[in-house]
Amino acid sequence: MVTATHCPYCSLQCGVDVDGIAVSGREFPTNRGGLCRKGATAGALLRHPDRLTTPLARDHKGAALGPVSWDEALDRVAAAILRTQAEHGPDAVACFGGGGLTNEKAYQLGKFARVALRTRHVDYNGRFCMSSAAAAASKAFGLDRGLPFPLSDIPQASAILLIGSNVAETMPPIMRYFERQQANGGTLIVVDPRRTATAQWATRHLQLRPGSDAAVANGLLHILVRDHHIDQEYIRRRTEGFEEALRTSAAYWPERVERITGVPEALLIEAATLLGSADRPMVLTARGPEQQAQGVNNTLAYINIALALGCVGKPFSGYGTLTGQGNGQGGREHGQKADQLPGYRRVDDPAARRQMANVWGLPAASIPGPGRPAVDLIDSIGADDGIRALIVMGSNLAVSAPDGSAVEDRLKALDLLVVCDFFLSETAALADVVLPSAQWAEEEGTMTNLEGRVIRRRCAMDPPDGVRTDLDILTSVAEHLGKQSYFPYRTAREIFEELRCATRGAPADYSGITYERIDAEDGVFWPCPSVDHPGTPRLFGDGFPRPGGRAKFHAVPHLPPADDRDDVRPLYLTTGRVLAQYQSGTQTRHVEDLERVSPEPLAEMHPATARLYGLTNGGRVRLTTRRGGATFTVKVTPTIREDTVFVAFHWGGERSVNRLTNAAVDPTSGMPEFKVCAVSAAAVDNLE
Ligand code: SF4
């Protein structure tokens, strides 16, 4: 039997048909039958011989993991939680979720933390992915939805500024939108330290120095103002704060921006002219500018450009961010963030607390307040008032968190680490209890794609014997903790019904969305406040959900990276993804076809840089940062800046580039600085 569902990986959430373990693209508005190599091979995950099919536990730290029954595993988890909380208080236990979890799971995990555990500590790996863009959009527009317009607007945009995204490799089916945009006569300007597949295909490429985004953005704004390309009427009528942003950008004249960023002055002027003379300009950011200790400010600086051009809230133009993880959007809306309740409500908002208390059937005062964001949460392990027990669901922290060796040490220091996963990931291998969970095609739920379109993930087959769904696991642990009355559900649909209720009247209002409507309409865009509301493909047409209905400019100067180059570490290290792997690789490293294409991380270096260090293509290089060192195979390529080394982050252990990255975080979003730190390089032969 063929089941219509969606790819397990990125935020494009391509429509797929699943027949047995065969996966094929299906006609769906976002992908129109197209799939990338990852989606096309996703069936290989389902009956993989490495699947976990029984709970595992170790008797004491240092002992090996061995199989145990579900009853025993759940008893151990519940007993350890109760013991930890009795000795150290409810906040000594934390939950850590993921941006790949369905909306129902994200909702349930947040509720489980606050209602079953009564802890304020719940956060997720979207903190490493989407938090800067989310914070910037909330500050500038009063609401964060990755794309506030449908993908189908892209082909009509006359000029697109795409910053820090290599979509040609990370989500290839989206390229059809950009191809149509170019066929319609539109221009694409890519900002990236690498001449990626996307940049090679663009009209112009601004190859900036890593960590210099705010200077590029201020420089472009400076030229747009100087050359009279801004929309004064829009700025006056629909925005505030322009004068301050203007004063800041005045200091970023093109020659100075060239010195800071390495982008030639003439190219900056060309790019600004293309954008400024376009009828329908569009600005799209992604992890490049966002995954920095200045990530929120970088994003705000690019949003300033969109506001100055007067394009936000107009069809076929505007500002958006390209979400990364499969449910990067819905995962940040429904309560698995440290500061958030379902529907994008704030946990410190008394009205939101009252509403959730009514839905959950408990006093508002019993809902814990804001908790620690991800990096801080991990850092606190081992501290007197820190986390002692951690439940991880849908995340492989040991690979995806910055300063990976320190993270591993912290995870080992926990009294209890529980990991729910379908493979023995690097994080699961450190756990005291591992609970085998179901995969994408073995369970029901909803996801929210990068456009804000809520879609259905359908169950195509039962999970293998011995495996339970994440929802079932959370309900079972709640039962073992004596909190079953708050978790009476048996199905994802029942949880979605509660989520609808919980988000009624909230910024991310799902109350009008039903499983039936999703089926009938190929997804529904939030906000959707009633069942007869059509959903909201485009936001901000009539105003912004901010005081006075106006969007806000922000004055954001360029600041250097937290860990800048010096004589000892004279290069920049930047990280990212490759076509054939996905995030921490827990899934894709189990797919033979993908492993053949990308079996290991490569250190991309410019030929001139390689020569300088005596390195050749295929040779080995030792990269060392202030956190530690790791050895990689060299890929010599002229597509990268001479001062920069790129390594993809999909691998663990000795192959993990995140052992080298910097855990410095953006002060607003808590986003770590994955995209830039100082590094030294040495040929391994020279070291021996
Ligand atoms: Fe899956 Fe993303 Fe590839 Fe589409 S682009 S098939 S959603 S990984």
Side-chain angles (χ1 to χ4, degrees), residues 7-14 34-40 170-173:
C7 172
Y9 300 117
C10 84
S11 65
L12 196 54
Q13 283 297 291
C14 294
L35 287 183
C36 77
R37 197 168 190 145
K38 296 187 288 284
T170 54
M171 50 174 78

Side-chain angles (χ1 to χ4, degrees), residues 306-327:
L307 291 175
L309 292 169
C311 65
V312 182
K314 293 183 182 168
F316 316 119
S317 62
Y319 164 81
T321 180
L322 296 170
T323 304
Q325 294 192 77
N327 199 25

Side-chain angles (χ1 to χ4, degrees), residues 113-120 353 357 360-369 486:
R114 289 165 179 133
V115 175
L117 299 178
R118 299 280 160 97
T119 178
R120 64 191 175 95
R353 295 170 63 83
W360 289 342
L362 38 69
S366 71
I367 299 176
Y486 296 104

Side-chain angles (χ1 to χ4, degrees), residues 79-111:
I81 288 171
L82 292 171
R83 193 168 53 243
T84 303
Q85 292 193 315
E87 286 173 20
H88 303 285
D91 289 340
V93 180
C95 293
F96 199 93
L101 300 179
T102 60
N103 291 320
E104 289 81 353
K105 291 186 201 179
Y107 174 84
Q108 184 84 325
L109 187 65
K111 179 178 176 182

Side-chain angles (χ1 to χ4, degrees), residues 581-619:
Q581 297 286 354
Y582 179 71
Q583 304 296 64
S584 72
T586 306
Q587 291 154 288
T588 47
R589 281 186 275 130
H590 283 92
V591 178
E592 225 179 280
D593 183 66
L594 301 177
E595 271 292 277
R596 250 197 317 274
V597 179
S598 286
E600 61 167 330
L602 301 175
E604 292 187 14
M605 301 180 83
H606 191 275
T609 316
R611 250 191 325 274
L612 189 67
Y613 289 95
L615 293 159
T616 51
N617 199 44

Side-chain angles (χ1 to χ4, degrees), residues 491-510:
T491 65
R493 184 188 285 260
E494 287 171 346
I495 296 172
F496 190 75
E497 290 305 309
E498 187 175 295
L499 182 155
R500 289 178 61 202
C501 206
T503 62
R504 181 164 292 127
D509 190 333
Y510 281 44

